[in-house]
Amino acid sequence: MVTRHAAAFRRLHDDRTGFLMPNAWDAGSAIVLAEAGFQALATTSAGIAFSLGRPDHTIPEGGKAVSRAEMFDRVHQITAAVDLPVNGDLEDGYGAEPEVVAETVRLAVGAGLAGGNIEDFADGRLYDEELAVARIAAAREAADAGGGFVLTARTDGLLLGSPAPLADAIRRANRYREAGADCLYVPGVNDLASITTLVAEVDGPLNVVMGLGATSLTADALRSAGVARLSLGGSIARAALGFVRDSARELLERGTLTFAEAQIPQGELNELFARDRLG
């Protein structure tokens, strides 16, 4: 049975309107973002990891990665907090083997996610292309078992510096589409010409992440180029932590609290977080 949120999420992709999908890292951030009026939200593995005091992706020596169980514990909290489609950052599916990826997608459906991303790299290297295609095929089969889950295949060659990054990304994205991906995600593109090429050459709805690196691109420019979905990755979470650090420095170095001018009033937050959104 196709869930209400999954059906709504799929329509957003089919419409190709360039909908904005900001990324939450806990129930509170999800509620604040939903209140702003977005049609869908996503999770961010980086934001969740940082909120737990953990690193994300490239794990420095002595660091501990967030486990799949820990990540899904937070995902459950987010999907329970908002009455919106939520797309999950599922990293590489938490394992190389297609069977592990399929199990992760089944967990995602069970957690109430309307969709999710599967990456094609781990430990700083792209998966072998044939294995990467098999992983998406396994994810598709698991997604089709229930819920109408919207599967996004992400290819990271542009971020990892592959020899022919744009051509490789297009080839991989189209192969993932053939294997069953509903949406294709190519992070690391910050110029409109390359994005326009991706829209033309990738056979399916394209996700572009905003906020990775310096760029003057706007949501309107990306919509005009034909991008179907605009996400933000960990940008808002990193900006929030930047605000915490700047506030701490101001207090220690100057003894002032100008940062407090940006806070949401206590009563407003109490009212916002007391509402029953799923009743």
Side-chain angles (χ1 to χ4, degrees):
M1 182 182 71
V2 177
T3 68
R4 175 171 60 89
H5 285 151
F9 197 43
R10 186 170 295 278
R11 285 194 298 272
L12 288 172
H13 291 78
D14 292 342
D15 290 343
R16 308 284 183 103
T17 56
F19 70 95
L20 283 162
M21 187 180 70
N23 303 65
W25 58 94
D26 61 11
S29 61
I31 291 169
V32 170
L33 290 170
E35 181 72 8
F38 294 102
Q39 296 173 283
L41 303 180
T43 69
T44 161
S45 65
I48 291 172
F50 299 153
S51 74
L52 293 170
R54 305 276 188 83
D56 178 58
H57 275 313
T58 303
I59 309 299
E61 185 176 352
K64 181 182 178 183
V66 177
S67 69
R68 184 171 70 175
E70 290 173 311
M71 188 67 71
F72 272 108
D73 181 60
R74 185 64 62 83
V75 167
H76 274 280
Q77 295 170 25
I78 291 170
T79 58
V82 294
D83 189 17
L84 283 177
V86 178
N87 184 74
D89 180 350
L90 305 178
E91 302 202 329
D92 73 329
Y94 294 91
E97 295 304 315
E99 295 81 6
V100 177
V101 178
E103 176 60 21
T104 295
V105 171
R106 285 191 286 270
L107 290 171
V109 173
L113 290 170
N117 308 336
I118 296 293
E119 300 165 0
D120 66 352
F121 83 105
D123 300 322
R125 299 179 61 183
L126 290 172
Y127 282 113
D128 170 81
E129 192 166 322
E130 297 306 319
L131 174 59
V133 171
R135 286 159 42 85
I136 295 302
R140 177 76 272 156
E141 184 176 355
D144 285 344
F149 190 86
V150 177
L151 176 63
T152 296
R154 170 174 156 166
T155 181
D156 281 80
L158 283 160
L159 291 177
L160 299 175
S162 63
L166 200 62
D168 289 347
I170 291 168
R171 185 188 66 255
R172 279 184 174 248
N174 283 330
R175 292 201 66 190
Y176 300 160
R177 176 69 164 174
E178 292 172 1
D182 298 299
C183 181
L184 296 313
Y185 179 7
V186 184
V189 185
N190 285 323
D191 66 283
L192 199 57
S194 296
I195 290 169
T196 301
T197 297
L198 286 171
V199 170
E201 298 295 330
V202 171
D203 183 24
L206 182 71
N207 180 98
V208 169
V209 60
M210 302 177 70
L212 282 184
T215 179
S216 60
L217 291 176
T218 65
D220 285 345
L222 292 172
R223 289 188 183 106
S224 295
V227 174
R229 188 175 90 186
L230 312 176
S231 61
L232 279 80
S235 296
I236 297 177
R238 287 188 293 268
L241 288 171
F243 178 78
V244 172
R245 183 168 66 180
D246 289 345
S247 300
R249 286 175 174 171
E250 179 190 348
L251 186 60
L252 280 171
E253 295 170 8
R254 302 201 300 275
T256 57
L257 290 82
T258 62
F259 60 84
E261 298 171 3
Q263 66 184 307
I264 301 173
Q266 175 87 6
E268 187 175 335
L269 286 173
N270 282 344
E271 174 62 29
L272 181 61
F273 294 150
R275 297 175 192 169
D276 182 2
R277 289 162 183 80
L278 303 181

